[in-house]
Amino acid sequence: MKDSKHLRPPKAGFSRRDFLKGSGAAAAATAIGEGVSGAVAAEAGSSVVGPGPVSIALNVNGQRRSATVEPRTTLLEVLRYQFDLTGAKPISEDGSSGGSTVLLDGKPVSASTVLALEAVGREVRTVEGLHGDPVPAAFVANDGQQCGFCTPGFVVAVRAFLDKHPSASEAEIRAGLNGNICRCGTYANIIQAVLDVVKGGSDG
Amino acid sequence: MKAFRYASPRVEDEAVDLLEDRWGASELLAGGTDLVGLMKKMVVTPELVVSVNRIDSMRGITADSTGVTIGAGTHLDELLDSPLMDDYPAVKQAIRNIDSLQLQSQSTVGGELCQRPRCWYFRNGYGLLADQGRHVVEGENQYHAIFGNSGPAKFVSASRLAPVLMALGAEIRVVGPSPGDETTMPLEFFYRIPRNERQRETSLEPRQMITHIRLPADAERSCAVYEVRRGAGPADPLAAAAAHCRLRDGVVEAARIYLGQVAPTPWNVEEAARWLVGRTLDERTAREAGEIAVARATPLSKNAYKVQLARVSVERALRLVAGLDCGGF
Ligand code: FES
């Protein structure tokens, strides 16, 4: 394709140089979202922030975490590269794979298409926060993965789906999980894992 | 992604005030399902992103005897779950067709209506019209328009809600271009076919935005949607139709039919709708209306198959309106 060089996005997030430049100024950076559990800090409203770094606080898996982001930083980038929560995967840039699924205020979203600033004041739950949940256990018991790359996204999506449809049928499960793609084609085992959870039989 | 400034205003006027008066200099952010991907690919490179997600007046659904009003920032799954939308089962069906939990809970109604075309030339940086349409005409046009494609725009409107909302007679409330300005218009007037790269797919100005969608009360009408899709999965449909009829003893008193995914805007197939008036809606008239709907299609070199799919969409949507099975799956 002509011009394809110009169409390549620069590395998402900030470059090392920008970051170093930015961290020097971090003390002066606008603070957003003081008091994560409460409403978003009022100053986040009208004021325009960026394009440089901004200090924010996020509520992730019940913990308050601080981060320094640019407006263009996605929630997925913060989770993976600042909080070391590498469950959610950068599979598709536009969210079409479902690989970066996390729960935002309990609802499934693609963290790859949510700006980190948009998650301020909201509750983020990642696959790491589902420790002890019957869904991942059922995936293990049913061999619901091959390479495992899609698995965290699937696990979170299944959790969200079952929260809404705790006694779903197989057809409903198949339709409900359409937003997630498994390149290895482990669908049969994934469906079986979900059916097990529905039946309350996740003995994994 | 190119670096940008970001604002998250609390009131509509503040958002209007922040927007730039040149397309592309600023972008509105709602769910992000479309915009963030476009920014990553540098197809859009705004200097300022204005988030509407903290504007409370644009959230939620209210109803009175004359209809429902939906905030543009309301998420699709909220419509799906709202009893206030029970009178509009076709809208719920259109949302269910989107078939991705993530898209349903992340996308907003306004964002769904404003999503940019899926045209792969556009999405790979060749511009909205891809060299005034030349790339499409000579190139890979199997998913492009079969109606409204005589000008440079050959892409198809991607919204899956617009056809059904238009069939139901939806109106939108728009604010801007100056703070305090507001207008109401039929959703149909929102879409227009761009003639050059300085224009967009809508009739709005850069400093305007949709705040609400209004649906009239829907007591004695029947509405249905049908999409032709490539099996399961979140891929876009190949053709879609929404039909809305007022029936008396099976006879059509009034009808509106809109096609999706076949033209640069949702496409009003007036001839077919007019032909139905006064006729009994049954298998035969549904089929014939489908044929009338596509009689004036102008397919490109590789998408003649879409004419057939559009015909079938109309036929099946009408069968559903008549209470028949759709005749397919
Ligand atoms: S297990 Fe490999 S992509 Fe799903």
Side-chain angles (χ1 to χ4, degrees):
Chain A
M1 293 201 186
K2 76 170 185 194
D3 286 335
S4 67
K5 262 192 271 94
H6 301 293
L7 302 176
R8 290 284 326 154
K11 219 174 119 258
F14 23 66
S15 71
R16 189 176 155 74
R17 210 179 88 224
D18 286 346
F19 179 73
L20 292 175
K21 205 167 61 189
S23 56
T30 323
I32 292 192
E34 294 305 318
V36 174
S37 50
V40 189
E43 68 267 27
S46 15
S47 62
V48 177
V49 299
V54 179
S55 297
I56 59 168
L58 295 177
N59 177 348
V60 181
N61 297 329
Q63 283 183 316
R64 186 180 196 278
R65 310 282 300 256
S66 309
T68 304
V69 302
E70 288 182 5
R72 63 176 161 174
T73 309
T74 63
L75 175 59
L76 181 65
E77 288 163 345
V78 179
L79 293 174
R80 290 181 58 86
Y81 309 130
Q82 295 196 43
F83 300 161
D84 208 26
L85 296 169
T86 54
K89 297 282 183 282
I91 300 177
S92 57
E93 293 209 308
D94 58 1
S96 54
S97 63
S100 69
T101 305
V102 300
L103 301 179
L104 202 53
D105 290 338
K107 290 198 202 175
V109 302
S110 286
S112 62
T113 58
V114 174
L115 298 181
L117 289 177
E118 289 285 319
V120 171
R122 306 176 68 183
E123 242 173 69
V124 183
R125 195 145 179 237
T126 69
V127 71
E128 289 87 352
L130 295 180
H131 181 73
D133 191 282
V135 173
F139 270 67
V140 173
N142 287 280
D143 240 346
Q145 60 281 317
Q146 284 186 45
C147 77
F149 222 69
C150 71
T151 312
F154 256 109
V155 167
V156 176
V158 168
R159 179 71 274 155
F161 174 74
L162 290 177
D163 284 347
K164 230 168 141 177
H165 308 97
S167 47
S169 68
E170 178 169 344
E172 288 165 342
I173 294 167
R174 282 180 184 278
L177 297 179
N178 251 333
N180 290 73
I181 291 170
C182 173
R183 264 293 160 102
C184 302
T186 327
Y187 296 107
N189 293 7
I190 293 172
I191 306 290
Q192 193 51 53
V194 185
L195 283 169
D196 269 17
V197 181
V198 170
K199 284 192 224 113
S202 71
D203 41 57
Chain B
M1 232 185 292
K2 189 181 148 228
F4 51 80
R5 290 174 298 124
Y6 167 95
S8 185
R10 302 310 164 87
V11 292
E12 295 164 8
D13 274 352
E14 215 178 312
V16 169
D17 203 29
L18 285 161
L19 289 171
E20 306 280 349
D21 56 13
R22 177 171 58 83
W23 280 126
S26 54
E27 296 283 353
L28 286 166
L29 172 69
T33 55
D34 194 30
L35 181 67
V36 175
L38 286 168
M39 292 196 299
K40 285 185 184 179
K41 291 190 85 180
M42 303 282 271
V43 174
V44 293
T45 52
E47 286 138 34
L48 171 70
V49 168
V50 179
S51 164
V52 298
N53 293 312
R54 293 187 178 98
I55 302 179
D56 286 342
S57 60
M58 287 171 62
R59 297 291 308 275
I61 308 165
T62 54
D64 58 33
S65 58
T66 63
V68 293
T69 303
I70 304 162
T74 311
H75 292 107
L76 301 185
D77 67 330
E78 295 172 65
L79 264 66
L80 214 45
D81 296 343
S82 170
L84 297 178
M85 294 302 294
D86 285 349
D87 282 346
Y88 307 90
V91 175
K92 290 196 173 189
Q93 185 58 48
I95 295 171
R96 246 181 259 118
N97 286 347
I98 292 171
D99 228 7
S100 150
L101 291 181
Q102 293 87 342
L103 284 179
Q104 287 168 353
S105 57
Q106 197 177 333
S107 311
T108 64
V109 185
E112 210 284 336
L113 295 174
C114 295
Q115 62 185 305
R116 309 297 309 275
R118 290 282 186 279
C119 167
W120 45 36
Y121 294 101
F122 168 63
R123 299 234 163 207
N124 283 290
Y126 290 88
L128 181 57
L129 303 178
D131 195 17
Q132 288 297 96
R134 275 182 282 272
H135 287 319
V136 182
V137 169
E138 293 161 17
E140 300 301 319
N141 55 39
Q142 44 271 65
Y143 303 127
H144 286 79
I146 57 169
F147 289 101
N149 55 8
S150 58
K154 316 285 184 195
F155 59 81
V156 298
S157 167
S159 173
R160 292 164 80 170
L161 289 187
V164 61
L165 295 179
M166 280 159 63
L168 287 164
E171 290 190 325
I172 53 172
R173 177 177 175 271
V174 171
V175 294
S178 299
D181 293 351
E182 87 170 71
T183 27
T184 306
M185 62 169 102
L187 176 59
E188 184 151 14
F189 295 174
F190 172 69
Y191 294 100
R192 68 113 183 255
I193 303 180
R195 314 294 308 181
N196 59 56
E197 288 289 347
R198 286 184 307 283
Q199 298 179 334
R200 281 209 173 170
E201 316 82 271
T202 82
S203 60
L204 296 197
E205 292 175 36
R207 284 166 56 92
Q208 285 185 307
M209 67 172 183
I210 301 181
T211 62
H212 295 85
I213 294 97
R214 170 135 192 100
L215 287 175
D218 185 43
E220 22 159 2
R221 287 168 175 253
S222 172
C223 183
V225 292
Y226 188 86
E227 290 184 341
V228 180
R229 296 162 60 191
R230 279 171 279 202
D236 297 300
L238 298 164
H244 187 193
C245 298
R246 192 170 70 224
L247 296 169
R248 184 155 311 221
D249 304 325
V251 176
V252 178
E253 289 190 333
R256 273 201 291 262
I257 306 171
Y258 288 86
L259 293 171
Q261 320 288 336
V262 297
T265 66
W267 198 249
N268 185 352
V269 282
E270 255 178 313
E271 296 95 331
R274 228 179 300 122
W275 180 84
L276 276 172
V277 174
R279 290 187 158 83
T280 304
L281 187 59
D282 56 20
E283 285 158 30
R284 191 187 58 80
T285 51
R287 190 172 57 242
E288 228 172 297
E291 270 155 27
I292 294 167
V294 298
R296 297 204 291 165
T298 51
L300 303 166
S301 60
K302 294 180 178 171
N303 66 5
Y305 73 98
K306 286 187 69 162
V307 177
Q308 156 87 347
L309 302 185
R311 181 185 70 70
V312 167
S313 305
V314 171
E315 176 182 353
R316 292 186 177 176
L318 285 168
R319 288 177 66 116
L320 291 170
V321 167
L324 302 163
D325 71 272
C326 74
F329 52 85

